[in-house]
Amino acid sequence: LIPVSEIKENIDEFFLDLDGKVSSDPNYFVVSIVALTADAIKSLQQARDLDDQKVGALKSVAIDRGDRYLELVQLVGNNSLGMNIAEEDYSILLEQIGKTIIDKKSTFTLQRAPTSAEDMIVKIIHEDGSSTIIPSEKFVIQGKSLVINDFAMVLSFKSTDKISINYQPKTVF
């Protein structure tokens, strides 16, 4: 088997190439939906056994925890998730994945920490050249990150939109 660290390196390289290697951070996350508990493994194996009986197949044991997928989650970090495939209700899993995507789409890393949100001009620059100013109450500063906290605004972003952030750094370094 290919080592999980090598798989991560290949995925990193893919995302860096996709972005034109403009940064050293490939900026992606992984969601591994696998059997996380002994009960999940047992219930999945029982379901497989029933399916095998229906089609007359030989009984096989092939359900495990997916440790390599979970190792990839740990190696990638960046809000990656390990989730249980045996959940009855997938809406919780999908909601958590959606929140992670929104968090990524709404967070912008600055070179230096700004003085304050009130001293910033944050704009969405649209493909047609028009722009929309984002009021300071619709974003927060967390160290060197600007996080837009207006869910509807983040969902309205188009792939062609750009964000312009003008600010006064707290320090020269």
Side-chain angles (χ1 to χ4, degrees):
L1 292 174
I2 298 171
V4 177
S5 60
E6 189 176 325
I7 293 168
K8 181 197 178 293
E9 289 171 12
N10 290 337
I11 297 170
D12 286 354
E13 191 64 33
F14 169 80
F15 282 105
L16 289 170
D17 286 347
L18 191 65
D19 289 338
K21 297 190 184 201
V22 293
S23 89
S24 60
D25 177 14
N27 195 21
Y28 68 94
F29 70 100
V30 173
V31 179
S32 294
I33 304 175
V34 297
L36 292 178
T37 65
D39 287 341
I41 293 169
K42 184 178 176 182
S43 70
L44 290 170
Q45 186 60 54
Q46 288 171 343
R48 182 179 180 143
D49 290 348
L50 285 173
D51 286 345
D52 287 350
Q53 288 174 1
K54 288 178 190 173
V55 295
L58 294 175
K59 184 177 176 182
S60 60
V61 178
I63 307 298
D64 61 19
R65 217 173 79 100
D67 288 331
R68 288 172 50 83
Y69 295 108
L70 295 171
E71 183 181 346
L72 182 62
V73 165
Q74 293 299 312
L75 286 174
V76 170
N78 207 14
N79 295 323
S80 292
L81 307 165
M83 306 180 92
N84 194 358
I85 195 168
E87 292 295 328
E88 293 286 325
D89 180 5
Y90 271 36
S91 65
I92 295 166
L93 300 175
L94 295 172
E95 185 175 322
Q96 195 167 0
I97 293 168
K99 284 181 180 178
T100 302
I101 292 169
I102 295 298
D103 286 346
K104 292 235 166 266
K105 194 172 180 181
S106 65
T107 302
F108 302 88
T109 304
L110 307 170
Q111 287 188 340
R112 294 187 291 238
T115 53
S116 71
E118 291 77 23
D119 295 336
M120 301 179 83
I121 300 170
V122 181
K123 291 192 256 183
I124 304 168
I125 301 172
H126 307 287
E127 185 177 30
D128 65 3
S130 65
S131 63
T132 305
I133 293 180
I134 302 175
S136 61
E137 62 269 8
K138 295 196 178 214
F139 62 86
V140 295
I141 304 302
Q142 298 172 343
K144 293 189 338 183
S145 294
L146 178 139
V147 180
I148 299 173
N149 55 16
D150 184 314
F151 186 70
M153 180 178 286
V154 173
L155 289 176
S156 74
F157 290 167
K158 306 248 183 308
S159 63
T160 55
D161 289 340
K162 296 182 183 196
I163 301 293
S164 169
I165 304 171
N166 293 319
Y167 68 99
Q168 180 67 40
K170 266 187 193 178
T171 64
V172 176
F173 301 102

